[in-house]
Amino acid sequence: MEFEPIDQFQQRQKKLEEIRALGFAAYPHEFRSTDGPGALVAAYQETPAAELEAARRNVRVAGRIVSYRLMGKAGFAHLQSCGQRIQIYVKLDVAGERAFKLFQLLDLGDHIGVAGHLFRTKTNELSIWVEELFFLSKALLPLPEKWHGLSDVEIRYRQRYLDLVANEKSRQVFLARARITQELRRFFDARGYVEVETPMMHPLAGGAAARPFITHHNTLDMDLYLRIAPELYLKRLVVGGLDRVYEINRNFRNEGISTQHNPEFTMLEFYEAYSNYLDLMDLNEQLFALLARTITGSTTVSYGEHQLDFSKMIRLTMREAICKYWPAEAGPAPAPAELAAPGGPRAIAQRYNEWAGRAGKERAFRKGTPSDGEWTGLLFEAFAEEHLIQPTIIYDFPTEISPLSKQKPEDPALTERFEIFIAGMEIANGFSELNDPAEQERRFLEQIAQGGEEAPKQVDVDYIRALCHGLPPTAGEGVGIDRVTMLLTDSHSIRDVILFPLLRPESPASSPDEKA
RNA sequence: AGGGGCGUAGCUCAGUGGUAGAGCAGCGGCCUUUUAAGCCGAAGGUCGUGGGUUCAAUCCCCACCGCCCCUACCA
């Protein structure tokens, strides 16, 4: 198989044959290096030339050629490995004829190994004086341009390997992402949590309201749903005595794609027995401050034009947020008591929508006939959410939109639930878990009765049965890892923090049978 | 799904209703301390795809494909 650009591909294949003809294996099996470019540069950055000469430091280093300057009978190149590079100097009379012929046949992108010793060039750059050259692997296709790098976002997403080689920024984003999950594991492990893996293929899609992907198992001849949330399985584990569990894994939701949504995304979910949502709020403040400091070095993080302060979190009830962010032009703001009154949220929404319609603003709207609790949620989303730039905990969600949350003892219209908003994005969702099986069954049935594509189609009977065996008072939470990564790496599209975001398949461009 | 934008050499980008350009990469030559190496030379294109208008379309019009952004959807 050959790939564009064909001429360069063939040219490089030809060179590979010539390399073979020199007696080098085209795809050798090993090369033992003593040091990586990064370690050498770090260790000898300050060592003067005279010292390098006096006490010769022999090294063997491997890497990808990312710059290459051939000047007759000598040449320079930079070898890159792990994002760090070191210069090599290859001289005909030092390396020998065969090695120098090999050097002449190299291209940007090839992997090689060198053996030699450290020295400094005229311009004082730490370099390797190459005595032996080893061929490791040929790049049959050219790297993106060295100066401007790779900026075509489509290629960056489709051929992430090129993006990672060419763009240090991209490399840093994914290293940060790895450190985030690493830090999360450290955080929860240190608190006595057990990491588990629950099914990704569910006979029933539960634990969230979302349209699932459907797949099929042949032998069992049954349809399965890719999970939309691990929630119901994790709580079964708490019933089973794993009092503190967490899982970091993918969820799949068959819904829109945007700068904040990818059909598969990574969630951290964790459950802690004998805690409630207030405990989780405190834990979140610690967790996010720690993450910000570990990943960015500070609890103040630049995100676009904003400086996000992760040292604390603002706390507002949902009703307070609605009152606080009520647009001044829409008339007098409602009072929390109005929102609490039966029929209140609906009346307030009418007032708001009247103004929003005139002002051309987003209306609080949903098909059908929303309940008070749903109106409250709609109002919040219509105009409050966008204002939540600084890390904010919104708590006390209406019961009607929180089917898995425990009600507040003093007000059954509200649940002990909160969400964290940062930079206008929903980052986390946690609550005191509803552990009354009769009430849970009632809520499930209510959801099913309401219908809609995102509602569950049937009661998860085994989950109710598990609750009947006794779920201790428990608090649980889900955190969107992709979005957290966006915040901590100043990335403004979720595709920039997912290695291989979902895109339409590359069409064979000119396939004539595409037309229907 | 609706609105807007983009698609020109491998990469980064100019450009024009009259048969297409630069830099880098690649090819040939010179060059034994360069670093965006340099100098000389040659090559490289279905201007996203398909229609239409026109004497003539990469450019204007229509449709389609892909990507990006906004809106909608997304507890």
Side-chain angles (χ1 to χ4, degrees), chain A residues 31-310:
Chain A
F31 175 81
R32 302 286 173 213
S33 56
T34 55
D35 308 88
L40 286 177
V41 170
Y44 294 92
Q45 194 52 57
E46 307 297 331
T47 314
E51 207 172 299
L52 288 174
E53 220 164 297
R56 179 176 287 201
R57 173 68 156 91
N58 289 308
V59 296
R60 290 168 67 89
V61 178
R64 189 193 279 275
I65 298 174
V66 291
S67 80
Y68 179 80
R69 294 172 295 283
L70 179 63
M71 293 161 302
K73 298 188 177 64
F76 290 91
H78 278 94
L79 294 192
Q80 179 170 302
S81 171
C82 299
Q84 308 277 343
R85 52 185 62 181
I86 190 164
Q87 181 168 262
I88 63 168
Y89 180 50
V90 185
K91 246 159 81 94
L92 170 60
D93 51 14
V94 174
E97 201 164 310
R98 177 164 166 270
F100 200 76
K101 271 187 183 153
L102 168 62
F103 187 67
Q104 289 173 310
L105 289 167
L106 296 176
D107 285 296
L108 288 179
D110 291 356
H111 292 269
I112 60 167
V114 298
H117 63 270
L118 296 177
F119 78 109
R120 284 191 182 278
T121 62
K122 265 186 192 167
T123 53
N124 210 38
E125 178 167 349
L126 182 69
S127 307
I128 300 172
W129 183 274
V130 175
E131 285 141 24
E132 274 187 281
L133 196 59
F134 303 86
F135 180 71
L136 300 183
S137 179
K138 189 78 189 158
L140 294 171
L141 290 168
L143 245 33
E145 198 230 24
K146 63 178 174 187
W147 190 240
H148 298 94
L150 179 69
S151 60
D152 183 319
V153 289
E154 189 173 347
I155 297 177
R156 288 187 46 226
Y157 297 152
R158 288 193 194 278
Q159 293 176 266
R160 183 67 84 181
Y161 40 91
L162 293 180
D163 181 39
L164 289 169
V165 172
N167 296 320
E168 178 58 20
K169 171 85 202 298
S170 175
R171 184 189 168 78
Q172 290 304 329
V173 165
F174 291 104
L175 292 182
R177 182 175 177 132
R179 282 190 286 131
I180 287 168
T181 48
Q182 203 173 31
E183 199 57 37
L184 288 171
R185 289 196 164 96
R186 209 197 312 276
F187 183 89
F188 286 100
D189 292 346
R191 281 164 179 73
Y193 278 76
V194 176
E195 180 172 9
V196 296
E197 290 164 284
T198 61
M200 312 281 277
M201 298 193 293
H202 292 185
L204 292 172
R211 283 151 68 189
F213 287 92
I214 302 172
T215 187
H216 186 80
H217 188 277
N218 288 338
T219 304
L220 296 179
D221 190 24
M222 67 186 290
D223 282 343
L224 290 164
Y225 301 98
L226 298 192
R227 77 176 187 192
I228 56 176
E231 169 139 1
L232 302 184
Y233 284 95
L234 290 171
K235 279 187 278 192
R236 283 173 170 96
L237 296 179
V238 180
V239 170
L242 299 181
D243 283 5
R244 294 184 163 202
V245 285
Y246 74 97
E247 177 165 7
I248 298 175
N249 222 322
R250 237 65 67 78
N251 290 341
F252 306 87
R253 297 187 183 176
N254 202 343
E255 284 162 0
I257 294 177
S258 76
T259 47
Q260 290 172 41
H261 300 83
N262 194 62
E264 57 176 303
F265 61 100
T266 301
M267 284 275 273
L268 157 71
E269 278 206 17
F270 61 94
Y271 292 83
E272 182 171 303
Y274 312 112
S275 292
N276 65 24
Y277 78 145
L278 292 170
D279 300 311
L280 287 193
M281 291 185 205
D282 294 342
L283 179 141
N284 273 282
E285 271 187 335
Q286 285 179 50
L287 174 58
F288 277 85
L290 175 73
L291 275 181
R293 224 178 300 115
T294 311
I295 304 305
T296 72
S298 166
T299 51
T300 303
V301 175
S302 293
Y303 189 72
E305 55 186 317
H306 302 296
Q307 296 296 314
L308 303 175
D309 179 4
F310 283 92

